[in-house]
């Protein structure tokens, strides 16, 4: 495991909240095996994905004093046959692959940020950040997607449902994502005036074989929630802030779920 700086010049500094440039120490470890990755956690290293979130003053994450580059672990590819996606695959690259039977995932990718930012953001970075506003996570969740992770507690990689990442208390690294089973799915996003504004409510839905509709809400609650379409939680479970009241978010969630139910009532042509 070598300690090298692989940061591009534009990520060696970041803007602080006052517009000042904060030096980035650019100490990075590059594990070659899950075992080395586990040891890196003991050194206090934290994973760096595309760097879009870490380098943005708009995001809560701070650049770690010791970064961890997963680039030597072979996580750059998408295996279309198995639906397994490496953590370092950029969102733009995933968009270019065949996502048949994963319409919600394709729509959530298209709704994330801008084409330029999607060329930077990695799949692992989206999951690793555990943002309640992530567009991709609800879409993955309705398909039963799983994340392959190594945690600081154990060197053995294991598979977890994507929403199970929210329950981890130890530092972790996502190595792969399994996109889950294909199905009849769709995605909706409600934001402010501009479509690229942070979402107020997102909803992904998938019509199960028995005709019922499973939904995952994002952005509206402190963490994404997976539920049956007819079991929306009460307003008290929704976020309340300067951008929208909990009641408004709850009502908009009901609207998005109704739209999903209507769209997914039409059976797709084989
Ligand atoms: C300008 C901008 C616009 C955005 N717009 C949207 C949007 O419209 N919709 C949306 O959903 N999101 C949006 N985001 C959020 C973005 O998806 C997240 O910040 C995401 O975490 C960035 O991924 P990254 O690969 O660049 O991660 P990084 O910035 O490298 O890391 C972010 C966090 O994830 C952790 N991490 C990274 N990789 C892994 C991994 N493999 N395993 C475990 N943890 C890891 C890091 O330690 C860090 O805590 C936006 C971000 C920016 C900067």
């Amino acid at each position: 495991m070598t300690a090298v700086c692989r940061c591009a010049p534009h990520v060696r500094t970041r803007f602080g909240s006052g517009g000042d440039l904060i030096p980035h120490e650019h100490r990075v470890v590059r594990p070659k095996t899950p075992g080395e990755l586990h040891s890196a956690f003991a050194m206090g290293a934290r994973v760096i994905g595309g760097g879009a979130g870490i380098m943005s003053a708009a995001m809560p994450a701070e650049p770690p004093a010791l970064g961890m580059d997963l680039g030597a672990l072979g996580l750059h590819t998408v295996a279309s046959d198995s639906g397994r996606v490496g953590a370092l695959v950029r969102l733009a690259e995933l968009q270019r692959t065949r996502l048949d039977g994963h319409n919600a995932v394709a729509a959530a990718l298209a709704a994330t940020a801008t084409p330029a930012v999607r060329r930077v953001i990695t799949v692992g970075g989206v999951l690793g950040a555990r943002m309640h506003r992530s567009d991709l996570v609800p879409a993955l969740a309705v398909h039963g997607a799983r994340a392959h992770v190594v945690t600081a507690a154990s060197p053995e990689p294991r598979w977890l449902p994507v929403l199970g990442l929210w329950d981890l208390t130890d530092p972790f690294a996502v190595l792969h994502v399994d996109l889950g089973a294909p199905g009849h799915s769709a995605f909706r996003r409600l934001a402010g005036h501009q479509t690229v504004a942070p979402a107020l409510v997102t909803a992904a839905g998938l019509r199960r074989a028995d005709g019922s509709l499973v939904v995952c809400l994002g952005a509206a609650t402190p963490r994404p929630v997976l539920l049956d379409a007819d079991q929306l939680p009460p307003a008290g479970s929704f976020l309340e802030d300067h951008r929208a009241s909990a009641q408004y978010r709850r009502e908009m969630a009901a609207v998005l779920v109704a739209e999903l139910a209507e769209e997914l009532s039409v059976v797709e042509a084989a």
Side-chain angles (χ1 to χ4, degrees), residues 210-267:
D210 66 4
S212 62
L213 183 66
V214 61
V215 165
C216 186
L217 297 179
T221 49
R223 58 187 271 182
V225 284
L226 193 64
L227 66 170
D228 284 336
D230 56 0
Q231 291 181 340
L232 276 193
S237 307
F238 285 76
L239 292 169
E240 168 110 20
D241 58 26
H242 66 286
R243 298 171 62 234
S245 68
Q247 186 64 37
Y248 178 77
R249 283 190 165 98
R250 206 270 177 201
E251 286 175 18
M252 291 304 104
V255 168
L256 298 192
V257 169
E259 285 184 11
L260 289 171
E262 187 179 350
E263 178 175 341
L264 297 172
S265 66
V266 180
V267 178

Side-chain angles (χ1 to χ4, degrees), residues 2 6 24 34 61 69 73 97 175 232 239 241 258 260:
T2 52
R6 298 173 56 83
H24 163 44
D69 172 1
L73 290 162
T97 64
L175 302 182
L232 276 193
L239 292 169
D241 58 26
L260 289 171

Side-chain angles (χ1 to χ4, degrees), residues 46-56 59 61 70 87 111-113 117 120-122 124-126 128-129 131 133-136 172-175 189 196:
R46 294 292 175 267
V47 181
I48 297 177
I54 285 175
M55 302 315 298
S56 168
M59 310 290 294
L70 304 181
T112 300
V117 180
V120 177
I121 296 175
T122 63
V126 170
M131 285 177 53
R133 279 205 303 261
S134 160
D135 289 302
L136 187 57
F172 65 94
V174 175
L175 302 182
R189 180 189 212 271
V196 292

Side-chain angles (χ1 to χ4, degrees), residues 22 31 46 50 70 93 132 161 172 176:
I22 299 172
R46 294 292 175 267
L70 304 181
E93 199 182 335
H132 73 288
F172 65 94
H176 299 96

